[in-house]
Amino acid sequence: MNTLLLHCRPGFENEVCAEISDQAARLDVAGYAKAKTDSAYAEFICNDAAGPERLMRGARFARLIFPRQWARGEWLALPETDRIGVLLDQLKPMPVCSSLWLEVLDTNDGKELSNFCRKFEAPLRKALEKAGRLKEGGHGPRLLLTFKSGREVFVGLAEAENSAMWPMGIPRLKFPRQAPSRSTLKLEEAWHHFIPRDQWDERLAPGMTAVDLGASPGGWTWQLVNRDIEVMAVDNGPMNEELLESGLVGHYRADGFAFRPKRPVNWMVCDIVEKPAKNAALLEAWIGEGLCREAVVNLKLPMKQRYAEVKRLLERIADGLAERGVKASIGCKQLYHDREEVTCHLRRL
Ligand SMILES: C[S@@+](CC[C@H](N)C(=O)[O-])C[C@H]1O[C@@H](n2cnc3c(N)ncnc32)[C@H](O)[C@@H]1O
């Protein structure tokens, strides 16, 4: 059990390696990271068996930027027949688990394996319950089985409250038919990730005000309007007519980097594709000057050294706010709906 497996978006394996190595150094967990390009996962191999659990206990999964899911455990070869028997043997020395997720990697091979997992899940669950290895709702960790093929699985554990909210870290969000663009799901996913569900009614409340910078055609504005929030939509491009007719949207044809609301608003969101340093500075200014209480801003990633660059920008935001004497929580995640970008969330405390 000396391996920590981390899922990610294909192509971001090096970022996960850099980020988890950073965490391991901070926590004094000896080991090394390795990954194959486009495999959609990375591994951190610890020098001792207690390493992965120490790493997981010392880091908050939700605070990691690039990993979508993680689990401590090891790879297991499966036979053609009696896979369940071999899995049960492997699980014997492990704690009784409180839930079971079958996962695949975010690759074409992984997608093809999803069907196999769906069929395999019910008999496996039954066998685990019968053998006393799975007690739904108990206090044990979650059992995460990541299938690389029908013959190879990573048998892993993770605490449900310190791992991905959804299997493979992929949210099942339904595209709202009336929304004018697919980007709408990015803001919805950001809220799921950064705002605990039981705080939505208070932090995304009807009657609140928001500024949406780079709003056209209105996917993000739609999410805000859907919660009865009044929106100043800033973009030279056209806004969706239905949104304008909602009575909750004002369209401002202006430069998002120069626009300032007359009065502070509850939310600022920004989906302008610009140099990440420019968007980060905008975010720091809005929160720092008290123009908004919370903000969600996308940061486009550079071609290389993507983790190092994001880390540098987050440090710059934190330093800027500290210089102003402003306290804020700062979160950053590459969401499932993000491509070559990450999403930042700041909240003034
Ligand atoms: C990715 S799109 C936004 C999509 C939008 N969030 C949605 O969900 O429909 C980026 C938008 O930023 C706008 N934009 C680019 N530079 C801008 C600037 N300096 N000020 C305001 N808007 C800008 C573009 O016109 C474009 O509509």
Side-chain angles (χ1 to χ4, degrees):
M1 286 271 284
N2 70 339
T3 302
L4 181 66
L5 176 82
L6 303 114
H7 294 225
C8 64
R9 184 179 187 86
F12 287 83
E13 299 79 12
N14 286 342
E15 281 60 43
V16 173
C17 286
E19 188 173 10
I20 202 65
S21 300
D22 223 9
Q23 293 290 335
R26 179 178 67 80
L27 296 163
D28 213 10
V29 175
Y32 64 95
K34 64 171 192 174
K36 267 200 213 114
T37 307
D38 291 330
S39 62
Y41 73 98
E43 290 167 278
F44 192 81
I45 315 292
C46 297
N47 288 2
D48 65 83
E53 189 163 358
R54 258 196 333 114
L55 237 175
M56 292 175 100
R57 288 202 189 285
R60 292 300 306 159
F61 178 76
R63 309 275 313 160
L64 299 178
I65 301 168
F66 289 98
R68 281 190 188 163
Q69 176 60 296
W70 67 357
R72 58 181 179 278
E74 59 195 8
W75 290 101
L76 174 69
L78 292 173
E80 192 69 57
T81 54
D82 195 24
R83 294 184 178 99
I84 290 181
V86 172
L87 268 167
L88 283 175
D89 277 348
Q90 179 79 6
L91 291 171
K92 260 185 206 143
M94 287 162 78
V96 175
C97 294
S98 60
S99 57
L100 164 73
W101 284 2
L102 271 61
E103 305 193 312
V104 292
L105 300 162
D106 190 7
T107 58
N108 288 337
D109 287 351
K111 282 184 195 99
E112 280 174 22
L113 268 172
S114 304
N115 264 342
F116 159 80
C117 288
R118 261 191 293 277
K119 285 190 202 131
F120 189 53
E121 183 170 346
L124 175 65
R125 185 178 292 279
K126 218 164 145 192
L128 291 175
E129 280 168 357
K130 195 166 163 220
R133 306 312 314 157
L134 176 66
K135 286 207 167 68
E136 286 284 347
H139 296 291
R142 173 168 286 153
L143 175 59
L144 294 169
L145 300 178
T146 302
F147 286 86
K148 203 149 79 164
S149 71
R151 305 291 298 272
E152 200 178 2
V153 63
F154 188 86
V155 181
L157 299 176
E159 283 56 48
E161 66 288 351
N162 194 25
S163 53
M165 271 187 273
W166 299 279
M168 296 165 271
I170 300 181
R172 302 270 164 237
L173 302 180
K174 208 166 154 231
F175 177 70
R177 253 185 327 110
Q178 316 90 316
S181 71
R182 283 209 72 80
S183 314
T184 196
L185 293 179
K186 279 201 277 183
L187 185 58
E188 189 185 346
E189 185 184 353
W191 286 343
H192 279 286
H193 183 78
F194 294 113
I195 309 179
R197 203 66 177 87
D198 60 359
Q199 293 180 19
W200 281 38
D201 286 348
E202 174 205 336
R203 289 167 62 182
L204 292 164
M208 280 185 160
T209 52
V211 170
D212 182 355
L213 302 173
S216 166
W220 287 28
T221 294
W222 186 91
Q223 288 290 342
L224 293 156
V225 167
N226 192 42
R227 296 200 62 85
D228 285 323
I229 295 172
E230 223 175 281
V231 186
M232 285 171 249
V234 183
D235 202 308
N236 275 323
M239 288 297 290
N240 171 276
E241 281 301 322
E242 268 175 51
L243 276 176
L244 294 176
E245 284 161 15
S246 69
L248 285 171
V249 181
H251 184 190
Y252 297 77
R253 292 184 188 275
D255 177 8
F257 292 96
F259 183 87
R260 294 286 184 271
K262 290 206 176 74
R263 274 180 295 281
V265 291
N266 299 99
W267 278 92
M268 182 275 272
V269 296
C270 173
D271 191 20
I272 298 176
V273 183
E274 247 295 353
K275 288 197 182 66
K278 197 167 170 186
N279 284 17
L282 181 81
L283 179 55
E284 194 253 306
W286 275 69
I287 290 286
E289 290 170 24
L291 296 172
C292 63
R293 172 85 197 273
E294 292 195 54
V296 168
V297 174
N298 264 343
L299 299 185
K300 181 131 188 62
L301 292 166
M303 296 294 282
K304 286 187 203 151
Q305 299 274 316
R306 296 179 286 195
Y307 170 65
E309 177 65 1
V310 172
K311 193 176 158 196
R312 194 177 65 79
L313 291 173
L314 293 175
E315 281 168 1
R316 202 194 274 179
I317 293 173
D319 290 349
L321 292 176
E323 271 167 35
R324 294 174 194 260
V326 171
K327 286 208 167 75
S329 66
I330 304 176
C332 181
K333 187 85 187 168
Q334 186 180 41
L335 300 171
Y336 173 67
H337 290 94
D338 283 333
R339 288 169 186 272
E340 297 292 321
E341 64 211 338
V342 289
T343 299
C344 283
H345 169 256
L346 263 74
R347 183 183 192 214
R348 248 181 111 103
L349 299 173

